[in-house]
Amino acid sequence: MRAKTAVVVGAQWGDEGKGKIVDVLSERFSVVARYAGGHNAGHTVIIKGQKFILQLVPCGVLRPDCRAVIGNGVVLDPMALLKETGKLRALGVDIDRQLFISNRAQVILPYHRMIELAAESAPGRQKIGTTSRGIGPAYEDKMARSGLRVVDLLDSKLLKTHIDAACAEKNAIAHALFGTDPLDPAKMYEEYAAAAAQIAPFVTDTSVLLNTVIREGGSVMFEGAQGTMLDIDHGTYPFVTSSSATAGGAVTGTGVGPTNIGTVIAVTKAYVTRVGEGPFPTEIFDEAGDTLRDRGQEYGAVTGRPRRCGWLDIPLLRYSNQINGTEWLVVTKLDVLDHLAEIPVCTGYEINGKVTDVVPADVRGLESIKPVYTKLKGWQQATDGIREFDELPKLAQEYLRFQERESGAKIGMVSTGPDRDQTMVLPAFHAALAN
């Protein structure tokens, strides 16, 4: 592979631990670029016991020599960004030197949150399980060609005209459909014009920046948000996000061409979790699921919502690897399974009496899946903090090799705890990154 550029993507429904992995790998890259999603990502990084929760800013910013880029595929909430940069600055991060924001990224405004919150809580509407941060409606406006971009945010005259027109439309829609109180466009303009002045120093043409870095021999890592099965095209529609969460989104979301992408690294837990509504074939409904949730601290970094837990789903992982062109797998939270004497792994689906390994496109097909399980022996030994593969219990090694064989991608890293240092890098992956 060409290790100069790599995409790091979630293999399932997000929350796989991408934040920690991007942080660990960012030591080897000069730039980390975020390419999709909004401020609902909630990547958690723990460094020597200190916790950092990043929502918009790429995790690479925690490395002093690494530049962090927010690409054009991201929807940006200016207030959330300023709150996050303020916290990072207070923690000693040189955010003013390291952060760059695409002038083409779309802007989230208060009426986006108003519309999403009202729609999600309206009687009779199908609940998707959004975070109600305005991300979906901002992407809707982007596709309707009526959105506001960062470059427009910096033009005060255009900003005022846009807010006045948008509020007139959105207030009428929200009141008619949901009975929502109107937003004040004058107050909104005043707040966002002030925010624009603070954001302006970060703004640039990040496509030019990234392509220049690559052309001059630098290295770029593309950081995904959410996970493959939340992708707007390839996920469990309609219970998905509003952006391209797969590796392909790195191209459209940053303006770097596909021939400049060297490899794809997918992050998967040793089991599976999901937040919000939607199908989840291997979900565990008994005490075993509660135990995984407690051992893995499966609660949203931003929302605190408890995550649904399930056994590893090989057909889903194989599908994800196919969609992303995954070359390397990173397995996180192996230590959460240390207590189990037996570990079920889904290796096939039974749908209407027929066994298949094809992931259905429709929700009804997904909901009718009866998982076919292979049961592997658990190792029942502590693995937390182990940093060499050969030091893992033999049955833990076999569990990982089984996952590797069945999924069709090579395991390059294993995480055995939340801290940056609780990570093992396998020799082949280390060699590939060094090339």
Side-chain angles (χ1 to χ4, degrees):
M1 75 177 187
R2 292 168 304 189
K4 291 290 185 185
T5 56
V7 182
V8 177
V9 66
Q12 286 98 11
W13 286 284
D15 306 309
E16 298 94 349
K18 296 183 298 297
K20 172 188 170 174
I21 300 309
V22 170
D23 171 64
V24 170
L25 290 173
S26 61
E27 185 178 24
R28 305 165 186 266
F29 292 86
S30 51
V31 181
V32 176
R34 169 87 178 274
Y35 63 82
H39 60 302
N40 60 339
H43 291 166
T44 301
V45 178
I46 299 176
I47 304 171
K48 300 189 185 304
Q50 185 175 14
K51 181 184 286 188
F52 298 82
I53 297 177
L54 300 164
Q55 293 179 256
L56 276 166
V57 179
C59 298
V61 78
L62 300 177
R63 300 278 186 181
D65 296 327
C66 188
R67 283 178 282 178
V69 168
I70 296 176
N72 58 274
V74 174
V75 286
L76 184 86
D77 183 320
M79 301 309 179
L81 176 75
L82 292 175
K83 183 179 179 181
E84 187 172 337
T85 54
K87 286 182 178 179
L88 288 169
R89 202 177 281 118
L91 289 167
V93 176
D94 192 357
I95 196 77
D96 300 292
R97 181 181 62 85
Q98 292 176 253
L99 180 63
F100 300 84
I101 299 171
S102 171
N103 51 14
R104 291 177 170 85
Q106 293 279 321
V107 177
I108 297 175
L109 289 158
Y111 51 76
H112 292 128
R113 293 192 296 275
M114 173 182 71
I115 293 285
E116 185 167 39
L117 182 61
E120 186 72 0
S121 56
R125 293 287 293 264
Q126 184 181 49
K127 294 188 184 301
I128 303 298
T130 73
T131 53
S132 298
R133 284 170 162 78
I135 291 165
Y139 276 114
E140 288 180 38
D141 278 0
K142 175 180 179 177
M143 292 307 177
R145 294 160 293 178
S146 60
L148 184 82
R149 300 185 303 169
V150 169
V151 67
D152 307 319
L153 179 72
L154 305 185
D155 183 328
S156 59
K157 185 177 179 181
L158 192 156
L159 177 63
K160 187 175 190 311
T161 301
H162 181 93
I163 286 177
D164 286 343
C167 279
E169 176 190 335
K170 306 295 185 182
N171 281 339
I173 291 171
H175 181 73
L177 291 179
F178 312 115
T180 305
D181 292 335
L183 296 169
D184 180 355
K187 181 182 178 184
M188 190 185 305
Y189 168 73
E190 184 180 328
E191 291 175 349
Y192 281 78
Q198 295 180 69
I199 290 170
F202 299 116
V203 178
T204 189
D205 188 326
T206 53
S207 174
V208 171
L209 185 157
L210 292 169
N211 280 288
T212 300
V213 168
I214 294 168
R215 187 169 56 251
E216 293 178 353
S219 53
V220 177
M221 177 166 46
F222 302 91
E223 177 186 36
Q226 290 88 41
T228 298
M229 300 311 296
L230 291 175
D231 183 87
I232 187 67
D233 289 298
H234 303 290
T236 49
Y237 190 90
F239 301 97
V240 292
T241 191
S242 302
S243 59
S244 297
T246 52
V251 174
T252 55
T254 63
V256 172
T259 55
N260 278 323
I261 303 294
T263 191
V264 177
I265 302 164
V267 185
T268 171
K269 283 176 181 159
Y271 48 101
V272 185
T273 62
R274 176 167 196 164
V275 171
E277 306 296 324
F280 186 176
T282 64
E283 185 171 7
I284 309 166
F285 295 99
D286 58 19
E287 186 180 339
D290 296 334
T291 302
L292 283 186
R293 186 178 302 109
D294 291 341
R295 286 180 58 85
Q297 289 296 293
E298 297 296 353
Y299 301 92
V302 175
T303 63
R305 289 190 295 179
R307 297 175 186 140
R308 300 154 64 189
C309 295
W311 303 118
L312 185 65
D313 187 331
I314 292 294
L316 197 77
L317 184 56
R318 196 179 294 129
Y319 171 78
S320 172
N321 289 345
Q322 170 187 293
I323 295 301
N324 290 305
T326 302
E327 182 177 8
W328 297 96
L329 280 178
V330 176
V331 181
T332 63
K333 295 200 172 184
L334 180 70
D335 54 301
V336 175
L337 303 182
D338 287 352
H339 67 293
L340 293 168
E342 188 175 70
I343 307 172
V345 177
C346 174
T347 52
Y349 298 150
E350 183 182 321
I351 304 175
N352 298 325
K354 296 182 179 179
V355 176
T356 180
D357 62 356
V358 176
V359 177
D362 62 312
V363 169
R364 284 179 296 178
L366 286 159
E367 291 176 340
S368 65
I369 287 172
K370 181 180 178 182
V372 177
Y373 286 109
T374 296
K375 294 184 178 180
L376 303 180
K377 288 183 179 180
W379 43 95
Q380 294 188 288
Q381 295 175 246
T383 62
D384 56 299
I386 293 177
R387 298 185 60 188
E388 297 295 334
F389 187 83
D390 291 342
E391 293 176 10
L392 288 170
K394 294 298 182 186
L395 289 172
Q397 294 181 35
E398 178 50 35
Y399 183 80
L400 293 168
R401 292 305 185 198
F402 181 87
Q403 186 172 348
E404 183 177 63
R405 291 192 302 270
E406 294 292 322
S407 71
K410 299 169 286 189
I411 291 179
M413 294 174 63
V414 181
S415 172
T416 56
D419 201 274
R420 177 189 275 176
D421 294 332
Q422 293 175 305
T423 312
M424 67 179 71
V425 180
L426 276 66
F429 187 59
H430 184 274
L433 289 175
N435 289 338

